[in-house]
Amino acid sequence: METKKILLTGDRPTGNLHIGHYLGSLHKRVEMQNSGKYQPYILIADAQALTDNADNPEKIRANIIEVCIDYLSVGIDPTKSTIGIQSYIYPLTELSFYYMNLVTLARLQRNPTVKAEMKQKNYGANVPVGFLTYPISQAADITAFNAEVVPVGDDQLPVIEQTCEIVNSFNRIYGETLTMPKAVLEENTTRHRLIGIDGNAKMSKSLGNTINLKDEPDVIKQKVMSMYTDPNHIHIEDPGQVEGNVVFTYLDAFSNDEQIASLTEYKTLNEMKEHYKKGGLGDVKIKKVLNEVLQQLLAPFREKRRTYENDKGQVMQILKSGSDKMLQVAQSTLDNVRTKMGINYFNDQNFTNKYLN
Ligand code: TRP
């Protein structure tokens, strides 16, 4: 039997997951999980979420179960994937502490992802040290499980690069120990970043422009109906613009021609776009189509979610057994790291024998 590749990825539990997460990463995770080629670990990165939410632990705490239910609702299967809570897996903290010696302050400050996030949060020099160093703790997340494959969004590439540098340094100094990971990106680049329902470049909870996986049908409909289209498309007869039009961007992302043919008089999405561009196709109509598409996407997730919401004890059990399993793996990596570093003193006969009579 072919051995399965170890896959690790994670999310900060700062809020419910939305259709941008689904498009950019969750659907791919489920696909990889179901391919049978991987052994997936999924980390709910609460410790990382706390690096910029130290004053709001309640938010993180409340979202652990929410994010876990989001995973389960889209098809993450706990018999195939292991889901764990980062802070419970305490060897990660100790690994981070040793990795810190292998990274310079200048290197952390150069990390484009961290730089962008710091700018967005207006931190300047008042950045929490924990936040600045989160790429180091993420290296611990990845190496603790010997992950070979790390599916992430393209914004995380510099963070994975930092992990690779740490792996290189560690193995060079202490001998071959850590596994070199590889980031894998969604190959379809239109899936990389979904714009918000307000047309903002990014769908994000903090911008309040998301459609959440758990949204109820009336909420989805109301969000779709309020969407930004083409400001110059005032009368139905006016020619409309498709580029930058949120409704068409989402139709591109979430529908296929077969579905368009079943919902409309058009055979393809392209045909529908041509009509819009020419004029004569109204915004209400295209929004109704998108509403249907999103309802069809999200209904099965919501249904699955209900079974877990009615049995949160089961979700807790999934989290506990996943976390326990991940704790064991991380502990064994830490033992190995300590041995390689020569600091596993009392398990090291070469050390203890010298001092025993
Ligand atoms: N930094 C990731 C994010 O913000 C979350 C994360 C934490 C992660 N640990 C990880 C991703 C390990 C991949 C691997 O989305």
Side-chain angles (χ1 to χ4, degrees):
M1 203 183 78
E2 210 187 326
T3 56
K4 294 188 179 189
K5 282 203 159 154
I6 298 177
L7 179 159
L8 179 125
T9 188
D11 300 280
R12 299 179 194 171
T14 52
N16 275 107
L17 302 179
H18 53 65
I19 59 172
H21 293 119
Y22 181 73
L23 187 75
S25 65
L26 294 175
H27 95 102
K28 170 103 180 174
R29 265 184 227 178
V30 172
E31 195 181 288
M32 291 177 94
Q33 165 197 273
N34 292 339
S35 75
K37 292 190 189 141
Y38 302 93
Q39 181 188 345
Y41 290 103
I42 304 177
L43 200 60
I44 300 185
D46 63 332
Q48 187 177 114
L50 284 165
T51 64
D52 63 335
N53 285 285
D55 56 352
N56 199 358
E58 193 43 52
K59 175 169 97 181
I60 309 307
R61 185 180 156 91
N63 279 303
I64 284 178
I65 191 112
E66 286 298 319
V67 167
C68 187
I69 296 178
D70 282 333
Y71 289 158
L72 298 168
S73 73
V74 298
I76 296 294
D77 175 348
T79 66
K80 295 179 181 151
S81 294
T82 306
I83 307 173
I85 301 177
Q86 187 184 31
S87 65
Y88 181 83
I89 308 165
Y90 52 86
L92 297 175
T93 325
E94 190 174 331
L95 281 175
S96 305
F97 197 68
Y98 302 135
Y99 295 170
M100 281 187 182
N101 304 329
L102 307 176
V103 181
T104 66
L105 178 60
R107 177 66 184 92
L108 288 173
Q109 288 171 329
R110 262 201 322 270
N111 186 310
T113 307
V114 177
K115 246 169 135 171
E117 285 171 299
M118 277 176 60
K119 192 156 174 229
Q120 195 204 338
K121 293 169 208 287
N122 256 320
Y123 277 145
N126 294 318
V127 59
V129 172
F131 186 80
L132 187 66
T133 56
Y134 91 72
I136 300 178
S137 102
Q138 193 156 325
D141 298 343
I142 294 168
T143 54
F145 306 98
N146 305 305
E148 301 165 84
V149 176
V150 186
V152 282
D154 55 357
D155 61 313
Q156 289 290 302
L157 286 179
V159 182
I160 311 304
E161 199 179 308
Q162 177 70 79
T163 300
C164 295
E165 288 174 24
I166 290 173
V167 169
N168 264 328
S169 303
F170 193 100
N171 290 349
R172 178 170 45 77
I173 300 170
Y174 305 109
E176 213 43 50
T177 312
L178 304 174
T179 305
M180 186 63 74
K182 197 165 177 275
V184 287
L185 289 181
E186 168 65 57
E187 52 286 352
N188 181 348
T189 53
T190 61
R191 285 178 168 269
H192 281 179
R193 185 154 296 134
L194 186 65
I195 60 174
I197 59 173
D198 57 356
N200 192 296
K202 192 175 174 191
M203 176 172 282
S204 132
K205 177 177 46 293
S206 51
L207 297 171
N209 61 8
T210 66
I211 293 178
N212 295 332
L213 296 171
K214 70 182 276 194
D215 279 349
E216 292 293 334
D218 54 328
V219 175
I220 299 167
K221 184 163 181 203
Q222 176 252 316
K223 286 180 177 175
V224 171
M225 290 303 162
S226 74
M227 266 177 189
Y228 172 96
T229 56
D230 169 6
N232 299 318
H233 186 243
I234 300 162
H235 306 290
I236 293 184
E237 321 75 70
D238 294 340
Q241 197 166 320
V242 165
E243 290 77 37
N245 185 318
V246 180
V247 177
F248 281 106
T249 306
Y250 284 23
L251 284 171
D252 272 329
F254 295 105
S255 77
N256 55 50
D257 285 340
E258 200 186 327
Q259 197 180 19
I260 294 296
S262 75
L263 293 171
T264 68
E265 64 266 37
Y266 308 103
K267 282 192 218 58
T268 64
L269 179 57
N270 243 347
E271 207 177 280
M272 184 171 149
K273 284 181 181 170
E274 287 310 317
H275 191 184
Y276 190 82
K277 284 197 234 173
K278 202 163 72 184
L281 175 54
D283 283 347
V284 172
K285 189 150 174 202
I286 60 168
K287 286 177 174 176
K288 282 191 169 153
V289 177
L290 177 60
N291 178 52
E292 264 314 307
V293 165
L294 292 179
Q295 300 289 356
Q296 287 182 10
L297 173 75
L298 297 175
F301 300 163
R302 222 172 23 246
E303 196 181 321
K304 200 146 192 206
R305 166 172 216 104
R306 283 220 172 88
T307 60
Y308 290 107
E309 279 192 331
N310 293 330
D311 187 4
K312 289 203 174 141
Q314 188 193 347
V315 180
M316 211 36 74
Q317 205 43 55
I318 289 167
L319 280 171
K320 178 68 166 59
S321 68
S323 298
D324 277 327
K325 183 170 161 197
M326 287 175 80
L327 173 58
Q328 269 186 20
V329 178
Q331 184 62 57
S332 115
T333 301
L334 176 62
D335 288 344
N336 194 24
V337 157
R338 292 172 59 109
T339 301
K340 289 294 182 56
M341 290 176 72
I343 60 172
N344 211 2
Y345 307 112
F346 302 115
N347 295 323
D348 178 356
Q349 306 242 309
N350 287 333
F351 182 79
T352 50
N353 281 352
K354 257 198 284 193
Y355 305 101
L356 293 174
N357 314 312

